[in-house]
Amino acid sequence: MFYEALHLINMREQPSLDAPVIGEMLTGDIGRQLTASDDGIWHELQILTNFFPPRRGWVRERNDAVGELIREVQAPPRPEFTVWAFLKACVDSEIWINSRNSEQGFFVVADYLIAWASIESKLKNSPPKNPLTDGVGPFQITSTDWNRFLESNFGGDFAEEDREGGLDQTSGAAFLTLAAMKAISDGITQHDFANGDEETSGPTGPYIPSYVDVLLAHLVGTNAAIDIRLAKLREEGGKFVDTILSEHYSPADLAKLFAFRSSLLRDDAGGTETIDGLLLNTESLLNTELQKAFKLITENTPEDLPKVDGTAPWAAVADAERTDWERQLIDESTTQGSARVLEYFRAINFSTSSVKPWCGAFVGFCMTKAGSPFSGAIVEGPARAANWKSWGNAAIPLGDPNVPTGAIVVLAPEKGSARSGHVGFFSRYFGENNSLVEILGGNQSDTVTRTKFARSKIAAIRWYSPALLRETTEGDVAFEGSSDDRFGQLLDLIGTLESNGNYNAFFSNSSNTGNPAFTSMSVNQVLTWQRGFLASGSRSSAVGKYQFLRKTLSGLRDRGAIAGDDQFDQRCQDKLALELMRGRGLGRYLSGALSSEDFGVNLAKEWAALPVPKDVRRGSRLVKAGQSYYANDGLNRALVSVTAYLNILRSTRG
């Protein structure tokens, strides 16, 4: 609930006139209710204005002298965001969550986050839609789930209000995806242990869920998703799904769920779907949305697509092994086959005298035979399929239709497979809507062969790009060999266009000097101010000379570009602007790997006042050279000519 002040009101420490006054609520201020007194007379409010520090305290509803002091009002408009900013936030959240997660085998990918948000909200910062929850935003995250995030080791830098911000939600969504993976894994593992199946505690465990499992956890609840997968593993796919869901929902809530998720839970005739039908519906939905996510990345942030240059010499090794196994008609049960499997384990320094699930060992063997640098890049614990999710230096989006032959593919487990899943080498997609993937791998039907799997089982696709490694190295060298003075003209151009060069500017107030004085605040204090500014209804959280958005600034802090207690002064802001340029390819540009026009487009996506130096596509729209990348959004336009912009860009190369 939200309340507006009708008069100047004292805010008190406790709901009592005897409590100390700790602030004032000004006429017209709007506050979000945090709690209320039992008698409903006092309300604890968080004031949603751009004052720093944020004001919070207890106010009375009315008094005898003037009557009503506050009145209930509608919530302020939800903060908007561009598709580009949301895609970037998902990529940043992928990097952030995976860098902080210490458990191998659990890896969150940005295109899943995009697909999930598309399913729930069409990538909008939406009000509640699900009749069973208070979920809001692009992911429809509930207050309960958001509090789980805040109370976790990942949520220390976030607050309750951040659930309202669509870009901030990407961090919570990444955490909830990781949490769902772990919960499903633990659920299957505990079930196996209780039933005497110790596979999940062995070298190939624990169970690693598919993204279909994770999506179901988000759509129908984690415990229900676990029971649905267990039923499938027990080969009970023909059971009607309500037999499981009724154990998790009351009859009234189950009816609401069926109405809200009818496309998944009902068959074509309108009847109750089976478990197999639900899984197929979810697989189809996820495949479609992942392909949409890849298209969005291609159209809006192509710089985030991985390089798939180079070759896969390990694939030739794998194919030679396949030919040998097929020619000799051997499998792991034969003397020759078991000896070959033990050879694969020796190649990865895994000591065993008996045949164990060996798909990971086969991949490791092929890498060792491929020679340097691949033999030196084998993951830790290669016998466990899920550990290959972190191999290489490029993650290929799950919706990409053009996966290079030989890319490493990690699959979620099926009945009879190792609990950590399966790993092999990509061969091809085929079937209706590319719904099947062919994998060349070991331990497929107890031999080395090509096998078809449902595409929805893919948990990760990894590649090793020599060009990316080379460009990153050369770019780092080029950047580190330059002086800050080299970029002065470019920094001043961006700062002048964005804020008239004012380090204390904020959105809609480029002339601000001291209210607040950002250059005297810490980075964490600025982030707190931005949170309140968005909550007050601002369309943007941009602050400082370079107009850093809150999500951008928090991302720079989280990846170590700056510390939270560092002062947000002129030097800090210049440093962070250069770090943003570096993330958009500054080092590669200085090394000659990126053209002036392409680098100029990258920067124009970061700073809307810059023009695109050439015609580019933004979704279905053509952005003409000279326009802002965000032209026609009602907020932004280019403020400098292409010629002047390119001249300054080229001057940085020396």
Side-chain angles (χ1 to χ4, degrees):
M1 298 173 66
F2 297 83
Y3 290 90
E4 180 184 10
L6 302 178
H7 305 275
L8 176 65
I9 311 171
N10 287 329
M11 304 181 73
R12 299 185 181 270
E13 192 174 81
Q14 299 294 332
S16 168
L17 289 174
D18 296 327
V21 174
I22 57 174
E24 293 179 330
M25 188 173 183
L26 308 180
T27 303
D29 278 353
I30 294 177
R32 182 198 312 275
Q33 178 174 285
L34 303 177
T35 186
S37 60
D38 292 339
D39 57 13
I41 295 174
W42 289 86
H43 303 265
E44 186 184 20
L45 302 180
Q46 172 82 54
I47 307 305
L48 307 180
T49 66
N50 58 336
F51 281 86
F52 186 86
R55 288 171 293 151
R56 172 176 176 167
W58 289 87
V59 299
R60 285 189 295 169
E61 195 170 86
R62 60 187 302 113
N63 66 20
D64 295 336
V66 299
E68 192 175 24
L69 297 175
I70 57 175
R71 66 180 176 189
E72 187 176 345
V73 294
Q74 299 229 345
R78 303 185 64 78
E80 299 175 359
F81 51 79
T82 66
V83 171
W84 182 85
F86 184 77
L87 300 182
K88 282 294 184 185
C90 287
V91 171
D92 287 346
S93 294
E94 172 193 302
I95 296 169
W96 169 78
I97 197 76
N98 293 324
S99 67
R100 296 189 60 177
N101 174 40
S102 59
E103 296 189 42
Q104 284 189 301
F106 299 99
F107 196 88
V108 178
V109 295
D111 44 323
Y112 171 77
L113 299 179
I114 298 166
W116 176 21
S118 179
I119 291 168
E120 293 286 31
S121 70
K122 306 300 182 188
L123 309 186
K124 301 294 184 182
N125 198 9
S126 302
K129 291 187 170 185
N130 189 332
L132 295 174
T133 76
D134 65 348
V136 297
F139 300 96
Q140 293 289 283
I141 296 178
T142 66
S143 56
T144 299
D145 280 342
W146 190 256
N147 285 332
R148 287 173 56 210
F149 170 52
L150 297 182
E151 293 165 4
S152 73
N153 293 332
F154 298 89
D157 295 321
F158 294 83
E160 181 182 345
E161 307 93 88
D162 295 334
R163 184 171 72 106
E164 304 295 328
L167 299 185
D168 282 327
Q169 265 206 6
T170 61
S171 298
F175 162 77
L176 291 171
T177 298
L178 181 65
M181 290 178 175
K182 292 182 178 180
I184 296 168
S185 177
D186 289 346
I188 302 294
T189 300
Q190 292 165 10
H191 175 271
D192 286 352
F193 183 79
N195 286 273
D197 184 347
E198 299 180 357
E199 181 185 2
T200 50
S201 62
T204 62
Y207 179 86
I208 297 297
S210 71
Y211 274 107
V212 170
D213 294 328
V214 176
L215 181 58
L216 276 176
H218 292 143
L219 300 184
V220 302
T222 301
N223 291 332
I226 292 171
D227 287 347
I228 288 167
R229 178 53 61 188
L230 286 171
K232 178 63 177 175
L233 291 172
R234 293 192 301 266
E235 298 184 334
E236 297 175 354
K239 293 176 63 174
F240 289 110
V241 70
D242 59 350
T243 60
I244 289 179
L245 294 178
S246 61
E247 298 177 9
H248 301 276
Y249 292 89
S250 68
D253 284 350
L254 187 59
K256 293 178 182 177
L257 180 68
F258 265 77
F260 185 63
R261 305 289 189 196
S262 60
S263 62
L264 298 178
L265 300 176
R266 294 202 179 278
D267 60 22
D268 292 340
T272 301
E273 191 59 272
T274 62
I275 290 171
D276 280 342
L278 171 60
L279 291 172
L280 286 173
N281 291 341
T282 309
E283 288 174 6
S284 177
L285 174 64
L286 183 57
N287 281 340
T288 298
E289 293 298 338
L290 286 172
Q291 290 174 57
K292 287 181 183 178
F294 176 74
K295 187 171 185 288
L296 282 171
I297 296 171
T298 302
E299 293 175 343
N300 293 276
T301 61
E303 64 272 18
D304 287 330
L305 292 174
K307 290 183 177 293
V308 290
D309 62 299
T311 59
W314 57 84
V317 177
D319 200 50
E321 290 294 305
R322 176 193 63 80
T323 300
D324 208 26
W325 280 70
E326 291 181 354
R327 179 176 55 82
Q328 297 185 56
L329 300 177
I330 58 176
D331 61 41
E332 67 175 42
S333 66
T334 65
T335 301
Q336 190 173 359
S338 62
R340 187 74 67 89
V341 169
L342 295 180
E343 180 184 349
Y344 298 153
F345 278 110
R346 284 194 295 273
I348 61 170
N349 298 316
F350 185 97
S351 179
T352 180
S353 58
S354 61
V355 172
K356 300 180 182 299
W358 50 280
C359 62
F362 176 74
V363 170
F365 167 84
C366 295
M367 288 295 168
T368 61
K369 294 298 183 182
S372 181
F374 314 111
S375 56
I378 296 175
V379 297
E380 181 181 351
R384 184 169 179 253
N387 291 347
W388 288 94
K389 285 183 176 182
S390 61
W391 179 82
N393 59 2
I396 296 177
L398 303 184
D400 190 342
N402 300 308
V403 179
T405 300
I408 285 184
V409 178
V410 179
L411 300 167
E414 295 179 306
K415 183 176 176 59
S417 69
R419 281 297 196 238
S420 75
H422 183 67
V423 62
F425 302 113
F426 180 85
S427 179
R428 60 176 175 144
Y429 283 133
F430 60 99
E432 184 179 354
N433 201 26
N434 284 341
S435 60
L436 298 174
V437 60
E438 185 177 78
I439 301 297
L440 168 58
N443 201 21
Q444 296 180 173
S445 301
D446 297 336
T447 185
V448 177
T449 187
R450 293 191 181 97
T451 304
K452 302 174 181 63
F453 297 90
R455 183 176 180 176
S456 60
K457 289 291 181 182
I458 296 178
I461 309 173
R462 303 292 298 184
W463 184 251
Y464 189 97
S465 166
L468 178 59
L469 179 64
R470 181 179 64 253
E471 289 182 9
T472 300
T473 302
E474 292 176 353
D476 287 346
V477 170
F479 181 80
E480 291 166 2
S482 59
S483 66
D484 290 349
D485 293 341
R486 184 176 188 176
F487 308 112
Q489 272 190 293
L490 182 55
L491 288 170
D492 284 343
L493 171 67
I494 296 170
T496 299
L497 299 179
E498 291 288 330
S499 68
N500 202 26
N502 182 4
Y503 288 93
N504 281 310
F506 61 91
F507 177 73
S508 76
N509 191 347
S510 62
S511 61
N512 173 57
T513 56
N515 184 23
F518 292 117
T519 54
S520 299
M521 294 161 59
S522 71
V523 171
N524 283 342
Q525 287 175 327
V526 174
L527 290 168
T528 300
W529 181 91
Q530 288 176 298
R531 175 186 296 134
F533 193 44
L534 283 175
S536 69
S538 173
R539 298 175 68 185
S540 173
S541 60
V543 300
K545 178 177 178 179
Y546 306 102
Q547 294 292 276
F548 297 99
L549 298 177
R550 184 177 189 277
K551 181 62 178 176
T552 302
L553 183 57
S554 64
L556 288 165
R557 179 201 57 188
D558 292 343
R559 62 177 178 260
I562 202 74
D565 56 2
D566 284 348
Q567 190 171 341
F568 192 62
D569 56 16
Q570 290 91 332
R571 183 175 177 275
C572 171
Q573 292 186 38
D574 290 347
K575 175 183 177 180
L576 295 180
L578 283 174
E579 188 63 30
L580 288 180
M581 292 185 199
R582 192 174 183 179
R584 302 295 172 247
L586 176 57
R588 295 171 55 220
Y589 173 61
L590 296 176
S591 70
L594 202 62
S595 71
S596 299
E597 288 76 13
D598 287 337
F599 180 51
V601 169
N602 289 353
L603 293 190
K605 292 178 178 179
E606 189 71 55
W607 286 288
L610 295 173
V612 294
K614 63 179 184 179
D615 292 356
V616 295
R617 304 294 305 186
R618 180 187 168 205
S620 60
R621 181 183 301 161
L622 176 67
V623 181
K624 302 288 288 183
Q627 290 184 310
S628 166
Y629 184 74
Y630 303 101
N632 302 318
D633 68 353
L635 284 176
N636 298 293
R637 61 188 179 91
L639 300 175
V640 67
S641 71
V642 170
T643 300
Y645 179 34
L646 286 178
N647 285 340
I648 290 177
L649 277 183
R650 288 166 180 154
S651 72
T652 63
R653 272 183 168 168

